[in-house]
Amino acid sequence: MSTYVLGIESTAHTLGMAIVDEKLNILSDVREVYRPSRSLGIDPHDAAEYLSKKAGYVFKETLKKASVTVEDIDAIAYSMGPGLGPCLRIGATIARLLSCKYNKPLYPVHHAIGHIELVRLYYNLNNPLVILVSGGHTLISSFTNNRWRVYGETLDITLGNLLDMFAREIGLGFPGGPKVEELASKGSRYIELPYTIKGTNLQFSGLLTNVVSLYKKNIYTLKDLALSLQETAFSMLVEASERALTQLNNDSIAVTGGVASNDRLYAMLVEMGEEHGLKVYRLPKRLNSDNGVQIAVVGLKMYLSNVEPVDVENAIIKQRWRLDEVEVVWR
Ligand code: AMP
Ligand code: MG
């Protein structure tokens, strides 16, 4: 008999639900994404309102696409954090309700571990250096002594924020990453911008301020500004990753999170990997962004490893939760 795990993701703009089986087959993967207006960033309460309205539809579609009934599900996993409080509460409430009503074990999952473990399990990687670049995270991680340790990270905004905020400033709307990528692919000239690495850590806010002020001066084309922003930010990330790599014993490199869908970033990482004889892995683009699959696969591992599920009263949310606080007991 098959094992089915339902994963629920709701850390920010995406309500994602998915069902996976014990062989890690993805039986369904349904999402609805909140999009803020062109000039504004994400409003957590508006986003939560949107996610809550979509909950019934996403849940029904997830079951229908997987051709399973709610009774067939063996366990439920949800994103406990980190993320936006109002959005996290939607996913946690759905998870608690389903767990109570149908008497299913409940597993809380760290969102970043979802991103990381999905790429690791998808390619069956042994000891990858994982670069997680998304709206909520920018970090360089490797697994040691039962934890995904952080070897480098942003000290201010994330790489996803940098691209989204630049896109918003120039009127491109949300999400900005793909639009900046398209603009940058048409650029031809590199304009020098602030490049800030501290050890293996990164800072992007000076870069953002600088590129926005150059845009306002109206002396460079948008294409060249987008190209220069990408080249600078991605080079910083690749250099920090390479610095981390030289201190570790990784046998591969994986890049994940929404920004991993950027082909220029991927090409730069591949080039760096080749110099170290390491292959660079990334998921099919759809799986880089927030989704229920990443939560379901971690839930599945917890369930199959007999990890103690949480009681509904303890199925809380954690808006702030560092990756290296989580002891990975299921590997
Ligand atoms: P996530 O938080 O994992 O859902 O990722 C969302 C982030 O990924 C947003 O900041 C997007 O702008 C960014 N993103 C998505 N596609 C791309 C792309 N092709 N290039 C750069 N950033 C991207
Ligand atoms: Mg994410």
Side-chain angles (χ1 to χ4, degrees):
M1 236 187 64
S2 293
T3 301
Y4 300 116
V5 176
L6 169 70
I8 305 172
E9 157 59 32
S10 75
T11 51
H13 40 63
T14 304
L15 177 68
M17 295 193 204
I19 295 175
V20 300
D21 70 11
E22 74 287 353
K23 295 197 184 95
L24 292 172
N25 292 312
I26 301 168
L27 305 185
S28 60
D29 169 13
V30 182
R31 311 170 197 181
E32 287 290 318
V33 182
Y34 163 79
R35 298 195 185 275
S37 76
R38 254 173 191 269
S39 53
L40 299 172
I42 179 166
D43 175 320
H45 293 281
D46 274 1
E49 176 73 22
Y50 175 89
L51 304 188
S52 128
K53 278 189 190 142
K54 296 291 178 184
Y57 165 77
V58 172
F59 179 61
K60 281 191 213 151
E61 280 295 299
T62 304
L63 291 177
K64 196 165 121 194
K65 292 216 164 104
S67 300
V68 298
T69 66
V70 66
E71 286 80 16
D72 296 333
I73 291 171
D74 295 284
I76 298 168
Y78 75 100
S79 260
M80 188 190 241
L84 305 172
C87 301
L88 283 169
R89 255 171 233 122
I90 303 294
T93 305
I94 299 166
R96 283 194 294 256
L97 184 82
L98 292 172
S99 168
C100 279
K101 182 156 193 292
Y102 298 101
N103 195 24
K104 306 287 178 189
L106 192 54
Y107 295 97
V109 174
H110 188 289
H111 175 79
I113 292 189
H115 276 296
I116 293 172
E117 287 287 337
L118 180 58
V119 68
R120 185 186 75 82
L121 293 165
Y122 197 93
Y123 294 110
N124 203 12
L125 304 178
N126 178 39
N127 180 25
L129 181 81
V130 182
I131 302 158
L132 169 57
V133 275
S134 66
H137 290 91
T138 293
L139 53 84
I140 301 158
S141 179
S142 185
F143 194 76
T144 334
N145 294 334
N146 294 327
R147 286 174 200 241
W148 283 103
R149 312 269 167 186
V150 178
Y151 289 92
E153 62 191 318
T154 178
L155 301 176
D156 48 34
I157 58 173
T158 65
L159 186 52
N161 286 157
L162 170 74
L163 300 171
D164 290 340
M165 284 155 96
F166 173 66
R168 203 192 316 151
E169 283 289 338
I170 64 173
L172 290 182
F174 182 88
K179 291 168 183 152
V180 174
E181 177 172 25
E182 208 202 320
L183 251 185
S185 70
K186 296 178 191 139
S188 54
R189 171 179 171 204
Y190 179 74
I191 304 147
E192 187 110 7
L193 294 171
Y195 183 97
T196 320
I197 303 191
K198 300 197 167 161
T200 49
N201 294 324
L202 303 155
Q203 281 180 332
F204 295 114
S205 57
L207 174 56
L208 177 65
T209 312
N210 198 282
V211 74
V212 169
S213 83
L214 287 181
Y215 161 70
K216 288 184 175 154
K217 283 187 185 145
N218 217 357
I219 35 180
Y220 300 110
T221 65
L222 267 180
K223 295 180 262 184
D224 289 341
L225 285 173
L227 174 143
S228 308
L229 178 65
Q230 279 200 173
E231 291 303 301
T232 309
F234 296 169
S235 303
M236 284 163 55
L237 178 70
V238 173
E239 182 171 349
S241 305
E242 190 169 19
R243 286 185 188 183
L245 192 65
T246 55
Q247 300 171 40
L248 297 159
N249 287 316
N250 302 106
D251 54 12
S252 61
I253 299 170
V255 60
T256 189
V259 187
S261 293
N262 189 293
D263 291 330
R264 177 62 187 144
L265 172 61
Y266 178 66
M268 288 165 83
L269 284 168
V270 167
E271 203 178 307
M272 185 272 277
E274 273 166 5
E275 281 173 28
H276 296 269
L278 299 180
K279 197 166 166 195
V280 181
Y281 294 85
R282 75 166 165 176
L283 291 161
K285 288 190 181 180
R286 183 175 157 78
L287 293 176
N288 284 326
S289 306
D290 292 351
N291 62 74
V293 182
Q294 65 193 48
I295 306 305
V297 296
V298 178
L300 175 78
K301 285 283 158 192
M302 292 166 100
Y303 176 72
L304 294 178
S305 312
N306 298 316
V307 172
E308 191 65 31
V310 284
D311 295 331
V312 276
E313 308 84 68
N314 296 324
I316 51 163
I317 58 157
K318 290 186 182 175
Q319 280 171 259
R320 295 189 170 276
W321 190 12
R322 274 188 68 86
L323 174 65
D324 42 17
E325 283 175 44
V326 183
E327 183 145 23
V328 177
V329 289
W330 62 88
R331 269 182 73 173

